[in-house]
Amino acid sequence: TAGAIFGELSAIDSKPRSASVECVDPCSVVTMRREHFLDALGKYPAFSLAVACHLTAQIRSLTTRVFEYSTLAVRNRVRLELLRLLDAASDNGSAGLLTQVPTHAEIASRISTHREAVSREVAWLEHNKYILKEGRNLRIVDPAALRALVDEEDAVNAVEKRRVARHILEGRDAVVGLVVGRHAEAELARFHGS
């Protein structure tokens, strides 16, 4: 993506890079040595703000991903990743067309699951006409319907989680690990009342 930066974390803390970058389209890249990067951070407030905004966006994205990993079923993580890919495809996004679709293994790596789970969900989405394969491209037929499917299942899962938690609390079954900390009784009462 034009304007993207990479390598800034290593330039800031001198630790090994946490990711690699691969171009999928021809592009121009400008590099800066660490000392020049740090000097620019100190001398140019607009540059510092741009880097801070970039890092903030990364933190927000990672926070969203951690939340998804811990709360969403794999099928919804696959669906959300397809929607994210569509949002990033600014050229064809309005038409629902993804022209540079990652492999199932790449998607699995992005959403912390295995390739087989991605393949199953993609097959289900195709069978139910949410997506269409067009050669090496993928068309999301109705992005709003796919998003609604995620939201609907997320709501059903939340109700089921509350039902199971109530069953555990009311039946005095194993509660170990449900609530931990100094305020456990207050949290249990609050959770039980919700």
Side-chain angles (χ1 to χ4, degrees), residues 22-26 100:
E22 183 178 330
C23 295
V24 292
D25 289 320
Q100 296 177 354

Side-chain angles (χ1 to χ4, degrees), residues 35-107:
E35 57 271 15
H36 296 134
F37 178 78
L38 295 175
D39 187 50
L41 285 175
K43 286 184 179 175
Y44 304 103
F47 179 70
S48 297
L49 181 60
V51 171
C53 288
H54 166 74
L55 293 173
T56 301
Q58 281 187 321
I59 290 168
R60 290 185 188 281
S61 174
L62 291 171
T63 301
T64 297
R65 296 276 182 140
V66 167
F67 176 78
E68 289 174 3
Y69 298 156
S70 62
T71 62
L72 295 180
V74 170
R75 65 182 167 268
N76 277 343
R77 296 197 318 255
V78 171
R79 296 165 186 172
L80 285 173
E81 186 62 23
L82 292 175
L83 290 168
R84 267 193 288 273
L85 289 168
L86 185 61
D87 287 343
S90 57
D91 295 347
N92 300 315
S94 61
L97 184 64
L98 297 173
T99 57
Q100 296 177 354
V101 184
T103 66
H104 291 181
E106 290 168 333
I107 292 173

Side-chain angles (χ1 to χ4, degrees), residues 5-22 29-34 37 58:
I5 64 173
F6 57 91
E8 71 287 353
L9 298 179
S10 293
I12 291 169
D13 67 8
S14 296
K15 297 211 166 85
R17 288 180 305 212
S18 59
S20 60
V21 176
E22 183 178 330
V29 177
V30 177
T31 62
M32 284 180 113
R33 297 185 57 76
R34 178 178 190 267
F37 178 78
Q58 281 187 321

Side-chain angles (χ1 to χ4, degrees), residues 144-161:
L146 185 58
R147 177 74 216 174
L149 185 63
V150 171
D151 293 342
E152 176 185 314
E153 285 201 16
D154 194 30
V156 168
N157 288 340
V159 168
E160 179 62 13
K161 286 176 187 174

Side-chain angles (χ1 to χ4, degrees), residues 127-190:
H127 176 78
N128 288 285
K129 308 281 191 263
Y130 285 95
I131 63 173
L132 296 173
K133 289 183 185 174
E134 298 175 354
R136 298 216 4 97
N137 299 331
L138 186 71
R139 182 173 302 280
I140 298 178
V141 177
D142 184 351
L146 185 58
R147 177 74 216 174
L149 185 63
V150 171
D151 293 342
E152 176 185 314
E153 285 201 16
D154 194 30
V156 168
N157 288 340
V159 168
E160 179 62 13
K161 286 176 187 174
R162 278 197 296 273
R163 187 193 68 73
V164 169
R166 281 196 181 111
H167 170 75
I168 290 171
L169 290 171
E170 290 168 0
R172 303 282 185 228
D173 292 344
V175 180
V176 177
L178 181 61
V179 178
V180 182
R182 291 183 296 157
H183 307 290
E185 291 175 350
E187 286 295 312
L188 277 171
R190 184 183 64 76

